[in-house]
Amino acid sequence: MSDSVADGYPREVDKDKKLNLKTKLAYGAGDLGPAITANISVFFLLVFFTNVAGIPAGLAGSILMVGKIWDAINDPFVGVLTDRTESKRWGRRLPWLLYGAIPFGIFFFLQWIVPTTNVWGLFWYYVIIGVISQVFYTVVNLPYTAMTPELTQDYDERTSLNSIRFAFSIGGSILSLFLARLIFSLVDNRQQQYLVLAAVCAVIAVLGLFWCVWGTRDRVLAFEAKRSQNDESESIPIAEQIKIVFNNKPFLFVIGIYLFSWLGVQITASVIPYFVIYCMKLKESDVPTVMIGVQGTALLMLFVWGALSKKVGKKAVYFMGMFLWIIAATGLFFLQPNQINLMYVLAVIAGSGVSVAYLVPWSMMPDVIELDELQTGQRREGVFYGFMVLLQKFGLAFGLFLVGIALQASGFVENVPGQTQLPVQPDTALSAIRIAIGPVPIVSLICGLFLTYFYPITREMHAEILLKLEERRKNNS
């Protein structure tokens, strides 16, 4: 029988029925909006605050830090609310995407408006809009990520589903940079450039979420119809969650590796526009091209590093990727304005390292969870992944704050709103930009390498963990 929905109620669907390509594509489209908006914000929001809105760099970094910290805090609240949502017409997750999509797009767009020239008026405007924008980001993104196990219970099909999701995610990030390159080259007014870019990205984000809602509705409601009414799962208190994660020593290593890797990613991403414009003396429309070199390489190298890790292991892959990134960061620090071709070569090399920062820490997580299962007899993915995401957002907030404070302390001159010509930066500010794109990420990456070297779960240890888990399952069956 068809799994269509009539009068708001799902018809019976065989739980083993495979997902069709249409449903998979619709699910993948749900990550398009969050990916595009997040990518544009990471690369351009700080430089927009200083070069368009005219906010001092330290205040600009503080705005972004407040937004990110609030984003981390509101995650568990939205998660609990989505679990408790009941809707016969839309299920638990889809109402959040459906009703949150348009506000999500609107408040993302409002971040790129300059409503006044008063610095403190702008500061509080962007803090308030940023906080609300992060709330709606969570409203659409957190329920979306929770949909995967509800769309299919098949282990291999979940892998296929997530492959399509990340293709949309990374593809959306690259698309946003192509849009930025096109719009920056066609629109002369600096403020209008960001308004047009934000408007286009907001529309794509909203349409992607609507596509996800309508394309997955039948399948989601079919799952809801079969879901047990007596869910015996219990929420784990915060104190118990903290105890769990801090008693798992390999997880602490993974946290450190992930934080140092992503601190390097965040600082590099936020300072690239300043480096390209002020140190390399290129046009603002050239910034997205450099970023495409980094992101495009990161996307392609995911498959290379993934295949290589099966042969030489995760540690070796992490060391190779980080050494490439350190070489690139060193080269960028010494790069001169007349070495444009070398800049693009170094961007590609850096992208290879960035790819490892995406891949390796997340690939270590299942090892940690299986060790925890061996020690405790329970699988607690939610606890570990929840803390991973929470710490990622705190790390991003800290990185943005550091960049802003460092630029302001170095004497960086913010632009006057409406001024067409960017101010000339003092040598101290140029030096700070070079340090932020070179030595600072290098120190962070070296710390990550140190932790990776001592990461306790080897290939042999992991094989032994799996063997013991298999024996336990056989004995319990």
Side-chain angles (χ1 to χ4, degrees), residues 50-73:
T50 59
N51 286 6
V52 178
I55 300 175
L59 281 181
S62 300
I63 294 169
L64 297 178
M65 182 180 68
V66 170
K68 281 295 179 186
I69 289 176
W70 173 247
D71 184 27
I73 292 172

Side-chain angles (χ1 to χ4, degrees), residues 206-227:
V206 172
L207 292 178
L209 289 166
F210 283 161
W211 180 7
C212 178
V213 170
W214 290 103
T216 61
R217 184 186 179 212
D218 288 7
R219 187 77 180 200
V220 167
L221 289 181
F223 171 84
E224 291 291 338
K226 290 178 173 291
R227 184 165 56 95

Side-chain angles (χ1 to χ4, degrees), residues 391-422:
L391 290 168
Q392 175 200 9
K393 291 178 178 178
F394 278 121
L396 296 184
F398 183 61
L400 290 168
F401 179 71
L402 278 182
V403 171
I405 291 297
L407 286 177
Q408 184 167 328
S410 69
F412 181 87
V413 181
E414 64 273 8
N415 191 36
V416 177
Q419 183 175 306
T420 56
Q421 191 72 27
L422 290 174

Side-chain angles (χ1 to χ4, degrees), residues 266-281:
Q266 181 64 49
I267 291 175
T268 302
S270 59
V271 86
I272 280 178
Y274 296 105
F275 180 80
V276 172
I277 295 169
Y278 295 114
C279 295
M280 300 305 295
K281 303 186 185 305

Side-chain angles (χ1 to χ4, degrees), residues 220-300:
V220 167
L221 289 181
F223 171 84
E224 291 291 338
K226 290 178 173 291
R227 184 165 56 95
S228 172
Q229 298 300 313
N230 299 314
D231 188 357
E232 297 180 358
S233 61
E234 298 180 359
S235 59
I236 304 175
I238 294 295
E240 184 63 23
Q241 293 184 31
I242 295 174
K243 183 179 178 181
I244 289 170
V245 298
F246 280 97
N247 283 340
N248 189 311
K249 291 183 179 179
F251 179 68
L252 300 181
F253 277 91
V254 174
I255 286 176
I257 295 166
Y258 186 57
L259 283 180
F260 284 121
S261 301
W262 271 93
L263 194 58
V265 170
Q266 181 64 49
I267 291 175
T268 302
S270 59
V271 86
I272 280 178
Y274 296 105
F275 180 80
V276 172
I277 295 169
Y278 295 114
C279 295
M280 300 305 295
K281 303 186 185 305
L282 296 175
K283 296 182 294 184
E284 290 168 282
S285 58
D286 292 315
V287 173
T289 307
V290 179
M291 295 173 176
I292 289 170
V294 176
Q295 290 284 79
T297 304
L299 173 60
L300 294 175

Side-chain angles (χ1 to χ4, degrees), residues 149-366:
E150 298 178 1
L151 288 173
T152 176
Q153 288 73 56
D154 183 87
Y155 178 85
D156 293 321
E157 196 168 39
R158 286 178 178 175
T159 303
S160 171
L161 189 64
N162 274 307
S163 297
I164 292 178
R165 172 195 167 187
F166 287 121
F168 270 93
S169 179
I170 300 176
S173 299
I174 295 174
L175 172 63
S176 69
L177 295 175
F178 275 111
L179 289 172
R181 180 72 175 86
L182 177 64
I183 292 168
F184 288 179
S185 63
L186 294 177
V187 181
D188 293 329
N189 182 279
R190 190 174 293 109
Q191 185 173 346
Q192 292 297 321
Q193 288 175 347
Y194 287 103
L195 279 176
V196 174
L197 178 61
V200 172
C201 290
V203 170
I204 294 174
V206 172
L207 292 178
L209 289 166
F210 283 161
W211 180 7
C212 178
V213 170
W214 290 103
T216 61
R217 184 186 179 212
D218 288 7
R219 187 77 180 200
V220 167
L221 289 181
F223 171 84
E224 291 291 338
K226 290 178 173 291
R227 184 165 56 95
S228 172
Q229 298 300 313
N230 299 314
D231 188 357
E232 297 180 358
S233 61
E234 298 180 359
S235 59
I236 304 175
I238 294 295
E240 184 63 23
Q241 293 184 31
I242 295 174
K243 183 179 178 181
I244 289 170
V245 298
F246 280 97
N247 283 340
N248 189 311
K249 291 183 179 179
F251 179 68
L252 300 181
F253 277 91
V254 174
I255 286 176
I257 295 166
Y258 186 57
L259 283 180
F260 284 121
S261 301
W262 271 93
L263 194 58
V265 170
Q266 181 64 49
I267 291 175
T268 302
S270 59
V271 86
I272 280 178
Y274 296 105
F275 180 80
V276 172
I277 295 169
Y278 295 114
C279 295
M280 300 305 295
K281 303 186 185 305
L282 296 175
K283 296 182 294 184
E284 290 168 282
S285 58
D286 292 315
V287 173
T289 307
V290 179
M291 295 173 176
I292 289 170
V294 176
Q295 290 284 79
T297 304
L299 173 60
L300 294 175
M301 288 301 294
L302 278 174
F303 304 100
V304 176
W305 292 127
L308 195 57
S309 68
K310 294 178 181 178
K311 296 182 178 180
V312 300
K314 299 167 189 175
K315 282 188 177 182
V317 163
Y318 187 85
F319 270 82
M320 286 186 281
M322 292 303 104
F323 278 131
L324 286 174
W325 192 350
I326 288 172
I327 291 170
T330 304
L332 289 171
F333 176 73
F334 292 105
L335 202 64
Q336 298 303 309
N338 61 340
Q339 298 175 307
I340 306 301
N341 290 334
L342 180 57
M343 177 188 68
Y344 285 107
V345 172
L346 292 174
V348 169
I349 296 174
S352 299
V354 170
S355 184
V356 169
Y358 278 99
L359 181 66
V360 172
W362 284 108
S363 69
M364 289 176 170
M365 278 296 291

